[in-house]
Amino acid sequence: MGQSRLLPFVGLLFFHLIPNQLCKTCEVSEEKYFLLSPLWKTMTHSKYTMGTQSADVLLSLRLVGIQNQTLIQPLSQQVRRSGGSKGVNLSSGQLALITLALGACHTPDEAFIYDNHLLSRLENKFQAEIKNMEAHNGSPLTNYYQLSLGALALCLFHGRYSTTQVAELFAPGNKNYYFHGQFVVDIGAMAVLALTCIKRGLANGQTKTEKEDLRSIDNHIQSLVDKILLEKKRNGLIGNTFSTGIAMQALFISSDYYKESKWNCEQTLKTVLEEIAQGVFNIPIAAAQILPALVGKTYLDVNRDSSCTSGLGNFDISSHKPMSTKPPNSPSNISIHYSVKINEIYSTTVTVPSGSVFLDVMEEAQKKNETLFGFTVEQSSWGPFITSVQGLKASNTDRTYWELLSSGRSLSQGVGNYVVHDGEDLEVRWSKY
Ligand code: CBY
């Protein structure tokens, strides 16, 4: 057949391929980048108290192609500092994030990974998680979000791990995907990213074991994607606001596993943009976790050559002024009913200035009665995390934690962020997940 006669066929082929290709991601168009400016403001004008917080932000900025060195340099320095020899106390997920951030987009930072043996340290942390699972009824030292981050970093940077072991660990029936029996989208989505990386590596597998692992991982991805899609809400969010970014990434890379009609990506994008405008992503890590998906990027793009570019690279993010600090609310006081529930309920009513957060209420109650309302708190990348109340300590191994509730409903923000309302009924409850 002559070339000219082939052309219509080639055209037809493109016609069929292109729409499919385009539907795999949906992203904010360049003329709408200004809608992302609340995210810049949050990420660039916050103080980073933790190295792992900077790692999340650095990873995100690099993935979307931000080159601005005045922004990147201090972050990179902080991440390197926390990943250096002093970083012995890092958890598996923290070390994985540091590796991803420093290895992202082939910058000179990549050498740090090898100079500081981040991969062998991560291999050890990953094995320690598994050892804990063996000794403690399947509970890792941390959680499956961190194991997924670990597997992802080991896969992307060619660390050592056994695909058979990963295939066994990440079976969708594993209890660690569920809190209170409910599938956790953040965890399932991060697992899909890790499993997809591993699947790609196995694609040309020849041995019987490789073929079996591939089949098993493929089934896991299918089942996890089904579960993620079941958590899609009417407004398009997947899980909740804060899991949607990772869920979008997982759905971008797994589009072979669901019909196009199963997910209206544009609707999800629209709702996320509305929430950005309302200031919902007002902590750096929340902004960092949503950003890549909005420009069609995923954590699997981390070590791809020349993929760390997007229209955002040319967008002048530094021209945006810091977020105007809110004028102080009218200095009125509000009254909150606060309880601690273990088996019994211990309650009190406290008065705090309007605009206060959950933590302020807890501090006020503690001042009134240290024995009943005394608590301890630790910093996490999402802000303060309650570790004990009345001396009773949360434990990952026992899957216990202090749950935050308002009128009996579990909150989707932490103590440092949740703004309380007059007359509200708050509770911290000793819970098992
Ligand atoms: N990151 C992690 O290890 C955290 C993984 C994560 C799945 C995370 C959510 C998802 C994410 N995108 O980062 C997670 N939470 C976990 C695993 C946990 C458990 C921590 C166990 C451990 N230490 O390894 C646990 C205890 C079940 C948990 N989260 C508790 C809570 C509550 C904290 C209350 C307290 N004691 O202070 C709380 C407030 C829920 C509640 N009602 O009590 C909670 N988590 C929330 C709200 C969240 C979301 C934060 C959203 C926000 N704006 O603040 C979250 C994003 C996150 C952080 N948890 Co947990 C989930 C969501 O809403 N989509 C790896 C590391 C390297 O960074």
Side-chain angles (χ1 to χ4, degrees), residues 271-299:
T271 303
V272 168
L273 288 174
E274 281 163 13
E275 302 225 315
I276 291 175
Q278 286 160 17
V280 178
F281 297 91
N282 61 358
I283 53 177
I285 188 163
Q289 290 194 4
I290 194 73
L291 180 65
L294 301 180
V295 295
K297 297 285 177 189
T298 80
Y299 292 158

Side-chain angles (χ1 to χ4, degrees), residues 143 146 186 240 242 289 382 386 396 402 404 410-412:
N143 57 66
Q146 299 208 22
D186 316 59
N240 68 14
F242 305 104
Q289 290 194 4
W382 287 88
I386 303 299
N396 293 348
W402 285 98
L404 315 179
S410 198
L411 294 178
S412 59

Side-chain angles (χ1 to χ4, degrees), residues 71-120:
L71 242 166
I72 298 282
Q73 269 309 320
L75 283 170
S76 144
Q77 209 169 20
Q78 201 171 7
V79 176
R80 277 181 277 135
R81 211 177 304 130
S82 59
S85 54
K86 289 209 178 103
V88 280
N89 291 327
L90 293 168
S91 67
S92 63
Q94 288 174 330
L95 192 55
L97 262 179
I98 289 173
T99 309
L100 291 171
L102 295 176
C105 311
H106 304 294
T107 69
D109 274 355
E110 205 174 350
F112 186 94
I113 297 179
Y114 305 99
D115 296 345
N116 289 271
H117 315 289
L118 295 196
L119 290 171
S120 56

